[in-house]
Amino acid sequence: MVLTVEMEAQSDFQVDLGHLMAFNPHHSFPSQPSSRDELVKECLQKGTELVQAIADSLFHLPSTEDVDGPLVKLPPPATRLPREKHFPTPKPPTKWELFAQKKGIKKRKKDKVVFDEQSETWKRRFGYDRANDEEAIPIIEAKPNDDPNEDPFAKRKENKKKRIEKQESHRLKNLKQAAKAGALPSHIQLAATALPITGTQAAPKKVTKDELGNVAGLAATATASGGKFDKKLPGEKAAAHKGKYRKFLPVVEGSGIGSREKEQTEKIMNKIFSKNSHEILNIDKAVKTYNVKKEKKQKSEKSKAASATGGKLKPQKKIQKNPSKKGGSKKGKAK
Amino acid sequence: MVEIKTAKTHKGKRELEKRAPKLVESGKKTLILHGTRTSSVLKAVLSEIYHLKKESAIKYSRKNDNIKPFESGGETSLEFFSLKTDCSIFVYGSHSKKRPNNLIIGRTYDHHIYDLVEVGVENFKSMESFSYDKKLAPKEGSKPFITFIGEGFENVEELKHLKEVLLDLFRGAAVENINLAGLDRAYIFTALSSNRVFLTHCALRLKKSGTIVPRMELVEVGPSMDFVVRRHCPPNESIKKGAMKTTREKPKKKEKNVKKDAIEGKVGNIYIPDQKIGDMPLPNKAKGVKRERREAKLKNASGEHEHASKRKKEDL
């Protein structure tokens, strides 16, 4: 009895094998079970039935034996879920593809290796050391109606350059068309560059972020505060400070920057000393006074030498002075 | 003037190709993030959802103050993150007085918000609080069974929507073939009332039943919690139409090295790589081993082998 009821219930389950999902839309909780444990138990029991229902249909699918276990191919899922991204749009045909189709031109495979007539060996068709390379030809034979003022090698090179440019422009055209259809290859972007100013050949260089910032800073200096109190746009940074900041070196001597303070003060002191050194010590004056002193000394010494006898006598005089009365006559003599 | 910009490296090119729209999609990535305020419960919920979906999820750990998916203008940052990480499902947690333990699960289509469901988390039980045989613990990235119980999932609009979102969130990778030996987990969602869903994560124990179908047994491994549905925002009809498109035809893989001939039938080329017989190390013939030792080693090995086989026999 119970078994049959269960079987009936199972047949009512909605099983979606593609997602390994099962849904029992008939069960309902008329009254909340009294305790949480009971509720969980009931849920698990119902869940087991459902899981069993999925497994029943899953294990009956044809399987292939693999090293890791039986492999089963799942049917496509019945419940449809939204896509992550839109469908890829097909690429529109290029101009050449259209032309080829119209003319019935078919692609054909070319050999990778071709016979090179110059070296008489087989070489790759393209790439380095290719066969029949135009640029590798050392001598071009002149024809009677060639222009003698023209360099045939330069001409060849220019022609090649032109061909490359042409191909590049064709490519761009095709890519633009693909972009319009929304089918640009994922690794390609078409980026707009600034239009060239008339008269100039090349397109102007793209302005960098820093340069733009500088321009904004210049504009800010128009106000009296140098843009300090201007309202900033979202994402705009404060104007860069121009000029130097005052820096105070640490006073305490250290291994790094500390010793620089001493150096700096010494430098200043030296500067001051060197500036005022002439006031403190006038070398000329010093030399002069020294010389004058020396001269004076010499002079006085000379005069002393001249009156050397008298001088020599003087002590005698003094000696004579002691018997003071007698010396008086002698003094008068000397004079 | 237009400039052609291409990927500079092959790696970059491959990465861009991975993100390009595909005819058959392989599975959605999930972005897990939170708002300015979270609760400890919500933090645990987010980290455990991340744990369950580790192989295809990205978790942001910083707070985001300008994400308000239900308000206009509050989704720009979210859409940017979706584009940046290439995720198309997001789980956003926030906590406020009005809506405690709030979880917003949403999907994006073409990196624009497709639909949203807001639920409150109640009765949360974390993985750590369950005790079970660790041998049963589900492997990372295995495909789960998903079960929905209750008529609410069919009758109530919000729950119907929630069912689809939950299926998309937990279904794992979209695969064609599956290994039956690798089935080891199940999610059970039960509609308790018109706005309450009980969900739990179980491990599977396959028991012999005598038939090819093993008997399934569920062992609760957590996390388990109640979702109370709050707000929801169904997809826009026109967007839904685009997002639900499917193709019948499958992209055909180019068949290589096979030719079909009218006379010979199917002819294939097989390339066998060089076997490198000269480089192969031979057992017991290492350079430095003397002959006596070599022989002794050989003898030992054979002796051991015998022992092993004997033991096996005993076991049997």
Side-chain angles (χ1 to χ4, degrees), chain A residues 74 80 83 85 189 191, chain B residues 3 5 22 86 176 244:
Chain A
L74 291 177
R80 276 162 66 193
R83 289 178 61 84
K85 282 159 199 160
Q189 274 186 333
Chain B
E3 194 186 354
K5 275 186 166 180
K22 289 177 202 75
D86 197 29
E176 247 179 28
M244 285 296 189

Side-chain angles (χ1 to χ4, degrees), chain A residues 164-291:
Chain A
I164 289 171
E165 266 171 21
K166 193 181 162 197
Q167 170 55 26
E168 206 55 30
S169 75
H170 283 322
R171 183 180 167 224
L172 183 64
K173 230 182 248 171
N174 285 326
L175 280 176
K176 268 184 185 169
Q177 208 149 37
K180 217 184 242 174
L184 210 59
S186 58
H187 63 280
I188 290 179
Q189 274 186 333
L190 291 181
T193 51
L195 283 167
I197 297 162
T198 43
T200 56
Q201 291 260 308
K205 224 180 119 193
K206 215 177 162 193
V207 190
T208 62
K209 206 174 167 187
D210 288 341
E211 280 167 345
L212 278 175
N214 287 343
V215 172
L218 278 177
T221 52
T223 52
S225 63
K228 197 178 177 185
F229 302 108
D230 286 359
K231 257 187 191 165
K232 294 276 177 296
L233 291 169
E236 194 186 343
K237 279 169 195 157
H241 182 273
K242 270 174 192 163
K244 281 178 187 172
Y245 284 104
R246 267 186 87 185
K247 273 181 199 158
F248 296 99
L249 293 165
V251 188
V252 182
E253 188 124 336
S255 56
I257 205 165
S259 58
R260 283 198 5 221
E261 209 272 340
K262 199 178 165 190
E263 249 172 53
Q264 207 178 35
T265 41
E266 260 175 10
K267 212 170 145 190
I268 293 164
M269 289 296 279
N270 281 339
K271 221 177 189 177
I272 293 165
F273 278 133
S274 63
K275 214 179 195 177
N276 303 322
S277 59
H278 62 281
E279 284 166 15
I280 293 166
L281 187 75
N282 193 340
I283 292 168
D284 289 343
K285 206 176 179 182
V287 170
K288 221 182 218 171
T289 46
Y290 178 74
N291 284 344

Side-chain angles (χ1 to χ4, degrees), chain B residues 224-275:
Chain B
S224 84
M225 62 196 107
D226 278 6
F227 278 171
V228 181
V229 180
R230 284 175 183 155
R231 291 180 285 181
H232 90 133
C233 173
N236 186 329
E237 273 309 314
S238 59
I239 297 173
K240 191 177 174 181
K241 216 174 166 187
M244 285 296 189
K245 266 187 199 163
T246 46
T247 42
R248 290 271 153 258
E249 96 233 44
K250 243 183 237 168
K252 252 192 183 168
K253 215 174 178 187
K254 198 179 159 193
E255 209 172 18
K256 278 182 174 177
N257 305 326
V258 175
K259 272 182 258 169
K260 283 199 175 108
D261 204 79
I263 306 156
E264 288 175 288
K266 204 174 177 183
V267 179
N269 290 347
I270 299 170
Y271 296 98
I272 300 168
D274 187 20
Q275 289 195 22

Side-chain angles (χ1 to χ4, degrees), chain B residues 64-302:
Chain B
N64 300 288
D65 51 357
N66 49 1
I67 293 181
K68 287 169 188 91
F70 277 98
E71 289 164 31
S72 65
E75 75 278 359
T76 38
S77 170
L78 196 62
E79 282 170 359
F80 170 71
F81 288 146
S82 149
L83 179 70
K84 190 182 168 196
T85 56
D86 197 29
C87 288
S88 49
I89 304 178
F90 62 87
V91 179
Y92 171 78
S94 63
H95 181 69
S96 66
K97 202 171 177 184
K98 194 175 175 189
R99 296 193 182 89
N101 297 331
N102 204 34
L103 211 62
I104 300 174
I105 308 168
R107 292 179 288 179
T108 62
Y109 174 66
D110 268 345
H111 305 302
H112 289 289
I113 288 192
Y114 176 75
D115 61 354
L116 296 165
V117 186
E118 189 177 50
V119 290
V121 178
E122 280 173 22
N123 299 328
F124 175 68
K125 255 179 106 179
S126 75
M127 283 179 189
E128 279 100 57
S129 59
F130 290 90
S131 56
Y132 56 95
D133 185 10
K134 292 289 181 230
K135 274 181 202 161
L136 285 174
K139 304 274 181 304
E140 192 184 305
S142 66
K143 183 104 175 153
F145 285 118
I146 295 173
T147 59
F148 292 94
I149 305 160
E151 54 183 6
F153 284 122
E154 210 173 42
N155 304 334
V156 186
E157 195 56 41
E158 282 99 16
L159 290 189
K160 212 173 165 185
H161 187 201
L162 183 67
K163 179 186 166 217
E164 198 190 310
V165 172
L166 285 176
L167 175 65
D168 213 351
L169 177 65
F170 287 110
R171 71 175 163 145
V175 288
E176 247 179 28
N177 298 310
I178 197 164
N179 187 349
L180 294 181
L183 295 168
D184 58 358
R185 66 169 84 198
Y187 292 103
I188 289 161
F189 306 103
T190 318
L192 301 179
S193 63
S194 65
N195 70 337
R196 184 177 283 266
V197 172
F198 166 70
L199 95 171
T200 186
H201 176 221
C202 298
L204 285 179
R205 188 187 277 151
L206 308 184
K207 292 237 171 149
K208 277 176 192 163
S209 68
T211 59
I212 26 166
V213 185
R215 196 159 59 79
M216 297 289 177
E217 240 185 52
L218 297 186
V219 181
E220 212 179 357
V221 294
S224 84
M225 62 196 107
D226 278 6
F227 278 171
V228 181
V229 180
R230 284 175 183 155
R231 291 180 285 181
H232 90 133
C233 173
N236 186 329
E237 273 309 314
S238 59
I239 297 173
K240 191 177 174 181
K241 216 174 166 187
M244 285 296 189
K245 266 187 199 163
T246 46
T247 42
R248 290 271 153 258
E249 96 233 44
K250 243 183 237 168
K252 252 192 183 168
K253 215 174 178 187
K254 198 179 159 193
E255 209 172 18
K256 278 182 174 177
N257 305 326
V258 175
K259 272 182 258 169
K260 283 199 175 108
D261 204 79
I263 306 156
E264 288 175 288
K266 204 174 177 183
V267 179
N269 290 347
I270 299 170
Y271 296 98
I272 300 168
D274 187 20
Q275 289 195 22
K276 290 180 184 163
I277 294 165
D279 299 346
M280 208 150 63
L282 293 174
N284 305 311
K285 279 206 173 166
K287 247 184 196 172
V289 184
K290 280 186 178 175
R291 204 183 66 195
E292 293 97 276
R293 275 192 210 166
R294 235 186 288 144
E295 276 161 4
K297 213 175 169 184
L298 209 78
K299 220 181 239 170
N300 278 345
S302 63

Side-chain angles (χ1 to χ4, degrees), chain A residues 59 63-72, chain B residues 177-183:
Chain A
F59 279 78
S63 67
T64 53
E65 210 50 48
D66 194 70
V67 190
D68 304 319
L71 278 184
V72 159
Chain B
N177 298 310
I178 197 164
N179 187 349
L180 294 181
L183 295 168

